[in-house]
Amino acid sequence: MVWQTNPWMTTASFGLRVIRSAMPVALLYVGKLIIDEVVLLSKTHNTDTHYLWQLVGVEFALAILTDGFSRAITLMDSLLGDRFGNYTSIKIMNHAATLDLDQFEDAVFYDKLERARQQTTGRTILLSQIMSQVQDIITMAFLATGLMAFNPWLIVLLLVAIIPAFLGESYFNDRNYLLTRGQTPERRELDYLRYLAASDQTAKEIKIFDLSGFITDRFKKLSDSFYHDSKRLSIQRSLWGPYLPC
């Protein structure tokens, strides 16, 4: 679906990430050359620092390019996310036009439709996160190649450092998704209460039947429940964070 949204922007985003993934290795290698040159000049007492300053210039240029590629990736993700959100919203609207009225009255089906509407925006964030993970995997592959050339045993240390963080993030992402999915009916009610209490179309009925206090209390009860559930999961994630090295 991302490719169907805009093939050119998808290709450009992936290409920028591949180039950005190679930048840390390039910076490390040029840094190594600079240190080697400084050591060589100190040993030989050579005063010709022309090559050293060239290396420093290359390092500076790579640092600027790294920042430039990061900004370009952020811009591309933002534009592609907006296009993807519009594309999926149109697909949902076209699909909703083909449904029968009794399907809208089915609570289970309507919850699925509500989740689809909510995820038109949430999936754009997920899209950026997935592509960032792909970028990190490519960066890790470049670094692993360099480590194998330097010392193969360092690959083991790299895996030991990455696997706990991967398992921890996967676990808490799964918990967060299940929490959000399970709250779909209540969130729909929350949106309805928010609209009901502050809409000009319902203002007369609210005042005639004195429903303002009831609606406000119900909204507060639901919103507090969402807050405490999210707070509990966030605290668990924060407590386990120090034990999950990145």
Side-chain angles (χ1 to χ4, degrees):
M1 292 180 65
V2 176
W3 177 262
Q4 293 172 354
T5 300
N6 194 310
W8 180 85
M9 293 180 69
T10 305
T11 304
S13 179
F14 185 76
L16 288 171
R17 290 185 183 278
V18 172
I19 298 174
R20 175 63 178 80
S21 300
M23 286 299 177
V25 179
L27 286 167
L28 288 174
Y29 182 72
V30 175
K32 171 188 174 301
L33 294 179
I34 291 175
I35 294 175
D36 291 343
E37 182 66 16
V38 170
V39 173
L40 179 63
L41 291 175
S42 64
K43 287 183 177 180
T44 59
H45 302 287
N46 190 352
T47 58
D48 186 7
T49 59
H50 181 70
Y51 179 62
L52 175 62
W53 285 111
Q54 285 182 338
L55 292 175
V56 172
V58 172
E59 183 89 358
F60 183 70
L62 287 175
I64 294 177
L65 285 175
T66 299
D67 182 70
F69 280 120
S70 298
R71 293 177 181 274
I73 290 170
T74 301
L75 174 62
M76 196 64 66
D77 284 353
S78 176
L79 296 177
L80 185 59
D82 291 341
R83 294 292 297 270
F84 181 74
N86 295 337
Y87 176 75
T88 51
S89 296
I90 291 174
K91 287 182 69 70
I92 292 174
M93 293 167 64
N94 290 334
H95 181 68
T98 64
L99 301 176
D100 297 328
L101 291 178
D102 57 342
Q103 291 178 286
F104 286 95
E105 297 174 356
D106 183 0
V108 176
F109 177 81
Y110 196 78
D111 285 342
K112 293 180 180 179
L113 186 62
E114 184 68 16
R115 282 195 292 268
R117 281 200 297 262
Q118 292 175 355
Q119 291 178 8
T120 55
T121 55
R123 291 300 178 182
T124 59
I125 300 174
L126 179 62
L127 168 65
S128 177
Q129 291 174 343
I130 290 176
M131 297 190 72
S132 295
Q133 289 178 348
V134 173
Q135 176 183 331
D136 292 339
I137 290 174
I138 297 174
T139 300
M140 188 177 68
F142 280 121
L143 291 173
T145 303
L147 288 176
M148 290 181 65
F150 179 71
N151 191 338
W153 283 104
L154 292 177
I155 298 295
V156 178
L157 295 177
L158 181 65
L159 292 176
V160 170
I162 290 175
I163 290 177
F166 173 77
L167 294 177
E169 289 297 321
S170 299
Y171 172 76
F172 284 108
N173 287 338
D174 184 62
R175 289 282 304 276
N176 186 63
Y177 174 76
L178 292 176
L179 177 64
T180 304
R181 180 183 176 87
Q183 293 175 338
T184 300
E186 289 79 8
R187 287 190 181 277
R188 184 152 48 89
E189 181 183 355
L190 199 70
D191 292 337
Y192 175 70
L193 291 172
R194 184 185 292 111
Y195 170 79
L196 198 65
S199 172
D200 59 337
Q201 298 180 5
T202 59
K204 293 180 181 180
E205 289 80 1
I206 295 296
K207 290 186 177 296
I208 291 174
F209 296 102
D210 194 21
L211 296 175
S212 178
F214 170 77
I215 294 175
T216 303
D217 291 341
R218 179 61 181 167
F219 182 89
K220 185 177 185 304
K221 181 179 178 181
L222 287 175
S223 59
D224 287 345
S225 176
F226 291 155
Y227 171 76
H228 289 305
D229 291 340
S230 300
K231 177 183 176 182
R232 182 168 58 252
L233 184 59
S234 299
I235 291 175
Q236 292 176 358
R237 192 167 194 162
S238 299
L239 290 176
W240 281 100
Y243 306 103
L244 300 174
C246 297

